[in-house]
Amino acid sequence: MLNSIPGAVELGLLYALMALGVFITFRILDFPDLTVDGSFTTGGAVAAIMLTGGHSITISLLAAFGAGLAAGLCTGLLHTKGRVNGLLSGILMMIALHSINLRIMDGAPNISVYGSDQLFSGVSPYWVKLLAIFGIILLIKLLLDAFLHTELGLALRATGDNARMIRSFGANTDLTKILGISLSNGLVALSGALIVQQSSFADISMGVGMIVIGLASVIIGEAILGARTVFIATLAVIVGSVLYRIIVALALRIEWLDASDLKLITALIVIIALVLPAIQRTWKQKLLAKKRSAELTGQTGSKPIGGGF
Amino acid sequence: MLQLSHVTKLFFPGSPDEKIALVDINLNLKPGDFVTVIGSNGAGKSTLMNIISGVITPDSGTVSIEGRAIQNQPEHARSRWIGRVFQDPMAGTAPHMTIEENLAMAHARGRSRGLSFGVTGAKRKLFREQLSRLGIGLENRLRAKVGQLSGGERQALSLLMATFTKPQILLLDEHTAALDPARAELITKLTDSIVREMNLTTLMVTHNMEQAIRLGNRLIMMDKGRIILDISEERKKDLTVESLLKEFEQISGHKMADDRVVFG
């Protein structure tokens, strides 16, 4: 059972960039961006075409990142300048990207990149390779942290926190939204490209349900590490992504579960993670209110009120 | 400094719900003027603030700051010159960001925001200095999230942030109305001292008649989208709440109708 863990950790790290992208839109910008399902595949498709064309892995990854930025830019423009509802602008781009992705893949629903350039292909043993991948993901996380502490990054965060306030201090919230959505989809596409080079395979449907997986990672991470600072919040996303893959790997070992049940399990994880804290909060508040009102009225016992006749 | 000429604004024009918010407003603020604005419900006070800050654009007329016509500029472009404190203590700050990060965003007003760090050692020192002027101990809580502060503390921080870069115009939109009397008094005092010290050209909407008389060097009264009374500094000195109310009734022909008005 444990021998599936290292593989799950590797996948978790590669998918972590996608989860960081979802974190930027969902948590920082408070913008539910569904472009992710499309742009993940876009990144994978671009990388597959570049790799089979004989380009190096670095160039291919950069191209995938660029394609993601462009996809996010379109969603951002639709939402801010076109004034299209946030959810709808993401869905529209997701659908549009499906056709674009097929075009990128030259009409083929899947492409094998077996034998082309791979990240750390010559590195062994496996745990060193894993460490190297972790190093890269960590570097990207730290760069993102630094960006979120720049003047532009602060404006981006404030756009999701209190748009009216940051506008009154001269930031163009349309631009910060577009920037955030672009950056998010750039990371998502980069993640898609990483998955393609790792699995040596690109598929037109590889992005389906990605948004929920990203959300699950963000939520799991938050539940464990919290989000007190930017540093902790982004670290939590990576931890969440890895844990998600481990949970999935373990769940697939259960005999009566099929691989096709994966999406249902993912949805259940997100639902539980969303509903449970809400219920907890309500209960806590009720208890607190009861305690405080008992203190205020000076009643310590549970004497029933009324019925004294 | 700030000039509005022939500004008119209608809401829902042409529909059965058409509402005249402002009619032919002419207002001229000299540098250093501190003008308080009072008026009954729906007099157009908030619309006036929103038109100056760029949240809404006038149907006709011009708004200019230091001779520059700005009525067609978007809100974020104008905020280079305009500082603003809202009624809602939650509105002027970002709750999930720290005090120092909020101040850094205020500090960046009027400059283009680039990739230099928002909070640096030098800026932190400046923030601490400025926060200590508020006298409520916020200088020791630079890294606390603003959401943890009380309404009064947040409003004091909002006031400091709005005036941080010495804006040409300061707009105060009933910024003490949502606070309890003690905290409202603290914010009122802070407002008075900051505006005097920095010699800011200020427009303040208030429901508190006594505050409107006590603060500033000029008082205007609005009713049904018009400025019906403009009281200069000399006359303002002898003004009382009773005489002000009487004057309002004489000019407007009806009683001051405002369910939130505070007389003293």
Side-chain angles (χ1 to χ4, degrees):
Chain A
M1 193 148 189
L2 284 177
N3 55 11
S4 61
I5 301 272
V9 171
E10 183 184 354
L11 274 183
L13 288 171
L14 298 179
Y15 277 111
L17 293 185
M18 181 275 296
L20 279 174
V22 172
F23 170 77
I24 292 174
T25 46
F26 262 84
R27 279 293 184 255
I28 296 183
L29 280 179
D30 196 19
F31 175 83
D33 179 25
L34 301 187
T35 316
V36 173
D37 277 25
S39 59
F40 186 79
T41 314
T42 305
V46 167
I49 286 298
M50 300 281 289
L51 286 170
T52 50
H55 292 279
S56 75
I57 179 74
T58 319
I59 298 288
S60 307
L61 290 178
L62 282 176
F65 180 67
L69 286 181
L73 179 73
C74 293
T75 306
L77 284 172
L78 260 182
H79 175 55
T80 56
K81 303 297 175 193
R83 309 218 171 273
V84 177
N85 165 285
L87 272 173
L88 190 58
S89 50
I91 292 171
L92 284 171
M93 271 312 290
M94 180 178 80
I95 293 296
L97 281 174
H98 186 79
S99 297
I100 294 171
N101 293 340
L102 270 171
R103 283 273 178 189
I104 294 172
M105 292 163 78
D106 221 5
N110 46 57
I111 298 174
S112 166
V113 296
Y114 192 76
S116 47
D117 203 4
Q118 231 182 347
L119 210 58
F120 310 121
S121 53
V123 180
S124 68
Y126 184 62
W127 67 267
V128 178
K129 184 182 166 187
L130 214 53
L131 215 60
I133 293 175
F134 176 68
I136 292 219
I137 304 301
L138 192 68
L139 180 71
I140 293 173
K141 168 218 153 29
L142 290 174
L143 281 173
L144 178 64
D145 288 354
F147 169 69
L148 291 175
H149 283 102
T150 62
E151 289 190 334
L152 194 57
L154 289 181
L156 179 75
R157 285 160 64 199
T159 302
D161 206 12
N162 188 347
R164 183 171 163 206
M165 165 260 172
I166 193 64
R167 269 198 298 275
S168 83
F169 287 108
N172 184 343
T173 48
D174 279 359
L175 283 186
T176 51
K177 270 185 202 160
I178 292 171
L179 177 73
I181 299 169
S182 282
L183 185 63
S184 158
N185 282 289
L187 287 172
V188 170
L190 181 59
S191 176
L194 285 170
I195 291 298
V196 164
Q197 63 86 36
Q198 190 264 351
S199 64
S200 300
F201 195 74
D203 190 282
I204 188 66
S205 62
M206 65 189 278
V208 175
M210 225 18 87
I211 185 69
V212 183
I213 295 176
L215 206 52
S217 308
V218 170
I219 292 170
I220 292 170
E222 263 173 16
I224 290 169
L225 287 181
R228 262 166 298 135
T229 64
V230 171
F231 180 86
I232 294 174
T234 52
L235 185 68
V237 173
I238 298 175
V239 170
S241 176
V242 171
L243 275 178
Y244 169 79
R245 288 293 152 188
I246 293 175
I247 294 171
V248 166
L250 295 181
L252 288 180
R253 291 304 181 95
I254 299 171
E255 254 171 52
W256 43 271
L257 277 176
D258 277 341
S260 57
D261 293 332
L262 202 65
K263 296 218 156 76
L264 176 64
I265 298 170
T266 310
L268 283 176
I269 292 175
V270 173
I271 290 168
I272 291 168
L274 287 177
V275 174
L276 213 59
I279 295 176
Q280 263 179 335
R281 248 198 317 277
T282 320
W283 272 99
K284 248 189 201 161
Q285 249 161 20
K286 267 190 187 160
L287 277 174
L288 197 70
K290 259 192 195 154
K291 204 177 134 207
R292 281 292 296 146
S293 62
E295 277 171 18
L296 285 174
T297 52
Q299 275 184 323
T300 42
S302 55
K303 225 183 345 178
I305 299 164
F309 297 105
Chain B
M1 193 61 152
L2 172 69
Q3 193 165 20
L4 281 80
S5 47
H6 306 293
V7 169
T8 298
K9 179 72 192 176
L10 295 172
F11 289 126
F12 319 114
S15 79
D17 291 328
E18 182 175 285
K19 186 177 176 304
I20 300 162
L22 292 176
V23 191
D24 197 30
I25 293 286
N26 292 292
L27 183 65
N28 194 353
L29 265 64
K30 292 194 288 293
D33 263 357
F34 184 173
V35 180
T36 54
V37 185
I38 52 173
S40 47
N41 285 337
K45 303 176 303 269
S46 291
T47 309
L48 181 69
M49 298 301 241
N50 284 333
I51 280 197
I52 296 169
S53 61
V55 176
I56 50 181
T57 45
D59 296 329
S60 63
T62 59
V63 181
S64 57
I65 292 179
E66 290 182 320
R68 268 181 308 252
I70 58 159
Q71 70 273 7
N72 293 321
Q73 285 189 5
E75 185 187 357
H76 65 86
R78 291 185 206 192
S79 50
R80 174 180 291 268
W81 303 292
I82 301 171
R84 192 165 188 202
V85 184
F86 305 93
Q87 177 181 354
D88 179 2
M90 307 297 144
T93 47
H96 293 98
M97 297 172 75
T98 62
I99 292 179
E100 59 183 15
E101 284 170 341
N102 271 276
L103 280 165
M105 291 188 280
H107 188 70
R109 182 209 295 278
R111 295 184 288 113
S112 64
R113 290 159 207 265
L115 293 178
S116 56
F117 279 111
V119 182
T120 59
K123 280 192 215 167
R124 199 171 275 142
K125 195 167 158 249
L126 172 73
F127 297 163
R128 200 167 277 141
E129 240 169 63
Q130 296 289 320
L131 281 169
S132 64
R133 287 174 49 204
L134 297 178
I136 50 177
L138 290 184
E139 64 275 16
N140 304 318
R141 299 169 68 188
L142 279 180
R143 287 185 197 184
K145 295 248 170 89
V146 170
Q148 296 165 356
L149 305 185
S150 71
E153 287 170 333
R154 277 183 83 160
Q155 207 61 330
L157 181 62
S158 302
L159 186 63
L160 179 63
M161 283 167 64
T163 55
F164 210 47
T165 48
K166 197 173 191 297
Q168 266 82 349
I169 307 290
L170 176 63
L171 300 179
L172 305 170
D173 198 351
E174 297 184 43
H175 68 310
T176 63
L179 305 173
D180 63 65
R183 293 208 168 103
E185 186 53 31
L186 170 75
I187 299 297
T188 306
K189 278 192 178 135
L190 277 173
T191 306
D192 196 35
S193 73
I194 288 175
V195 169
R196 272 172 206 266
E197 218 169 283
M198 300 178 90
N199 196 28
L200 295 170
T201 310
T202 305
L203 198 60
M204 178 174 97
V205 171
T206 178
H207 271 89
N208 186 325
M209 300 273 250
E210 187 272 330
Q211 190 187 45
I213 294 169
R214 179 160 51 109
L215 292 181
N217 64 348
R218 189 173 156 195
L219 185 151
I220 61 176
M221 198 176 234
M222 294 183 70
D223 186 52
K224 294 181 180 145
R226 295 170 199 273
I227 295 175
I228 56 166
L229 192 60
D230 190 338
I231 297 171
S232 64
E233 190 159 20
E234 297 82 55
R235 275 201 55 213
K236 196 164 164 292
K237 281 180 197 144
D238 310 318
L239 215 55
T240 60
V241 173
E242 292 76 38
S243 66
L244 196 57
L245 280 173
K246 201 173 280 171
E247 199 145 6
F248 177 87
E249 275 165 42
Q250 267 168 10
I251 301 171
S252 70
H254 61 88
K255 285 208 174 214
M256 180 99 173
D258 188 334
D259 40 22
R260 290 186 300 159
V261 76
V262 181
F263 296 108

